[in-house]
Amino acid sequence: MFLKKFKEFLDNYKKKDPASRSYLEILTCYPGLHAIFFHKISNFFWKLNLKLIARMISHISRFLTGIEIHPAVKIGKNIFIDHGMGVVIGETTIIGDNVSIYQGVTLGGTKWEKKKRHPTINDNVIIGAGAKVLGPISVGKNSKIGANSVVTRNVPSNTTVIGIPARVIDNPSGDGSGI
């Protein structure tokens, strides 16, 4: 079971990065993959209420990969972090399946309260380089966030947003701008 899931994870990286040449290269040279591996370990300790150990593992991961993922973050299957340097994913973030995140992305909070304060990213979302998705908002399934966009409001499913502040440029379903 574990090997099948791991192979699926590697296949996802191979499929989404045309520059990849082999599984060995992906295993040894892809910091996004390494950050997810460390996150799974730190998340395990977080769930056991061994918070300090979890945070230490997360800190080591950030040092080694340049990608910061809080141990409490909930991540679905087949996440893809490409050129991940500078990616920051805050504590109450929830990430669905088949999400792609590029370098310099922040999934951050906007308040100091100890409640849901980071975004929920639904399945099949692409978040472009440098984008900032801030607050307890939701990004709908199959949506795209353009590079360097700043998103502070809900994004409906099947929608493309760009800009500062983010605005809708494509919403085939016409279910409202949400921005």
Side-chain angles (χ1 to χ4, degrees), residues 13-21:
Y13 263 77
K14 191 148 181 62
K15 178 180 88 176
K16 289 189 175 180
D17 186 0
S20 66
R21 285 174 282 286

Side-chain angles (χ1 to χ4, degrees), residues 5 20 24 35 78 85 89 98 102-103 105 129-130 136 147 150 155-156 169-170 172:
K5 284 185 177 183
S20 66
L24 181 60
N78 292 329
M85 184 60 75
I89 304 175
N98 304 309
Y102 292 88
Q103 69 270 16
V105 166
V150 177
V155 176
I169 63 161
D170 184 29

Side-chain angles (χ1 to χ4, degrees), residues 104-115:
V105 166
T106 299
L107 304 178
T110 57
K111 306 219 186 259
W112 298 107
E113 294 129 7
K114 290 192 177 278
K115 60 181 184 178

Side-chain angles (χ1 to χ4, degrees), residues 67-140:
I67 299 167
E68 181 175 341
I69 305 172
H70 191 282
V73 170
K74 296 175 182 162
I75 298 177
K77 66 179 183 175
N78 292 329
I79 185 173
F80 176 70
I81 302 175
D82 196 20
H83 304 289
M85 184 60 75
V87 167
V88 177
I89 304 175
E91 178 182 18
T92 61
T93 302
I94 299 170
I95 300 173
D97 297 340
N98 304 309
V99 171
S100 296
I101 299 173
Y102 292 88
Q103 69 270 16
V105 166
T106 299
L107 304 178
T110 57
K111 306 219 186 259
W112 298 107
E113 294 129 7
K114 290 192 177 278
K115 60 181 184 178
K116 176 78 168 126
R117 61 189 185 282
H118 299 93
T120 297
I121 310 298
N122 286 288
D123 298 346
N124 306 309
V125 170
I126 298 172
I127 305 174
K132 309 304 177 213
V133 184
L134 305 172
I137 63 171
S138 178
V139 177

Side-chain angles (χ1 to χ4, degrees), residues 41-46 49-60 71:
I41 296 168
S42 68
N43 183 258
F44 172 79
F45 284 105
W46 188 265
N49 208 29
L50 297 170
K51 311 273 192 219
L52 179 60
I53 293 171
R55 289 300 302 264
M56 290 170 65
I57 293 166
S58 175
H59 188 71
I60 291 166

